[in-house]
Structure formats: C-alpha cells, structure tokens
C-alpha cells in the first residue's frame, strides 16, 4: 500500500497579507519617484516646444518681415490669416501644439522681455507659481 502524499495547493491568509504589504510598500516608494520624473519630463517638453516655436517664428519673420502680432498669435504659423503675399508657410505641421498640460502657449508681440514673449503657465495653468507650477518662458535661462 502506497502512502498518499499531501500536496499543498492553496495560500494561507498570512501569506496573502504579506504579499499585499510588500506590494503596497513598493508602490509607495515607486509612485513619488515616477511622478517626479513625469513633472521633469513635462517641463523639458515645454522648453523644447518653446524653442521649436521660436524657430518657426523666426522663419515667419524672415519671410514676412516681422513677427505676427498678438491678435493673430501663433495661428499665423499654420495659416495665412492676414492674406500676406510674403507668407511662405505653414511654418509648423500640422498645428500649433499645446503645452504638456493641455493649455495654449502665451504669445505676446512686442514682448516685455524680448522681441516677443512666449510662455507656458505650467502645471497650474495660472500666471506665476513656484516649483512644478512655475511658468516656463523663452526669456528665462535654460537650466
């Protein structure tokens, strides 16, 4: 007669709780690191888009003779809004991008800080702010 071997196929409640505690601990460590990475990536993306918009505005100025005024704004880079004969665009394809937080870039011509001011209000979408809510502008030093 053969002895039956007992096979364990279920997890005990203690084992399940220990695994859950380990997963929650790992998530509590990894989540802030990931969110901080996303914030830095959004700021970097906004700075890059501002540089690209500056280049497109420079191309517009070289063709037309001046930057678009504030009333027309960045739309002048993708469509000939003034029916200007010297317009040789579009200078951006397919459209003017929004900032990484889904807001429009702010364009002012003539600018207070440079020939034109171009900025994003950051994560909060409001002027001013500190830290992650700080404005990102073309006249600020690149860090």
């Amino acid at each position: 007669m053969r002895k039956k071997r007992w096979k364990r196929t279920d997890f005990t409640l203690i084992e399940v709780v220990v695994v859950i505690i380990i997963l929650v601990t790992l998530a509590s460590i990894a989540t802030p690191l990931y969110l901080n990475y996303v914030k830095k990536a959004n700021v970097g993306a906004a700075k890059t888009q501002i540089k690209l918009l500056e280049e497109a505005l420079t191309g517009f100025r070289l063709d037309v003779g001046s930057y678009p005024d504030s009333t027309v704004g960045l739309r002048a880079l993708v469509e000939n809004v003034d029916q200007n004969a010297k317009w040789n665009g579009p200078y951006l394809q397919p459209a003017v991008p929004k900032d990484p937080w889904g807001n429009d870039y702010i364009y002012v011509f003539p600018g207070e800080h440079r020939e034109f001011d171009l900025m994003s209000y950051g994560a909060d979408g409001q002027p001013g702010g500190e830290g992650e809510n700080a404005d990102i502008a073309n006249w600020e030093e690149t860090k």
Side-chain angles (χ1 to χ4, degrees), residues 3 5 15 26 37 46 57 66 71-72 78 90 92 114 118-119 121 124 126 140:
K3 289 185 179 179
R5 291 192 180 211
E15 290 171 329
L26 289 174
Y37 174 77
L57 285 163
S66 70
T71 57
V72 173
V78 293
L92 287 176
R114 295 175 78 185
L118 186 59
M119 65 186 296
Y121 285 147
D124 63 355
Q126 302 296 320
E140 295 175 342

Side-chain angles (χ1 to χ4, degrees), residues 122-140:
D124 63 355
Q126 302 296 320
E130 297 291 326
E132 69 187 57
N133 295 325
D135 298 344
I136 302 152
N138 66 334
W139 64 87
E140 295 175 342

Side-chain angles (χ1 to χ4, degrees), residues 74-93:
L74 299 174
R75 275 191 16 231
L77 298 175
V78 293
E79 60 184 88
N80 192 356
V81 290
D82 290 336
Q83 301 306 314
N84 191 322
K86 295 180 182 179
W87 191 84
N88 195 23
Y91 300 92
L92 287 176
Q93 291 286 338

Side-chain angles (χ1 to χ4, degrees), residues 101-113:
W101 301 277
N103 302 314
D104 291 327
Y105 283 98
I106 310 303
Y107 170 76
V108 178
F109 177 76
E112 294 179 29
H113 305 277

Side-chain angles (χ1 to χ4, degrees), residues 29-63:
I29 293 169
T31 301
L33 295 174
Y34 172 75
L35 293 177
N36 190 35
Y37 174 77
V38 169
K39 289 174 193 172
K40 287 181 182 179
N42 284 341
V43 170
K47 288 179 180 180
T48 301
Q49 284 181 333
I50 285 174
K51 292 279 186 208
L52 293 173
L53 289 170
E54 283 181 316
E55 291 174 9
L57 285 163
T58 300
F60 179 93
R61 182 184 57 100
L62 290 173
D63 287 346

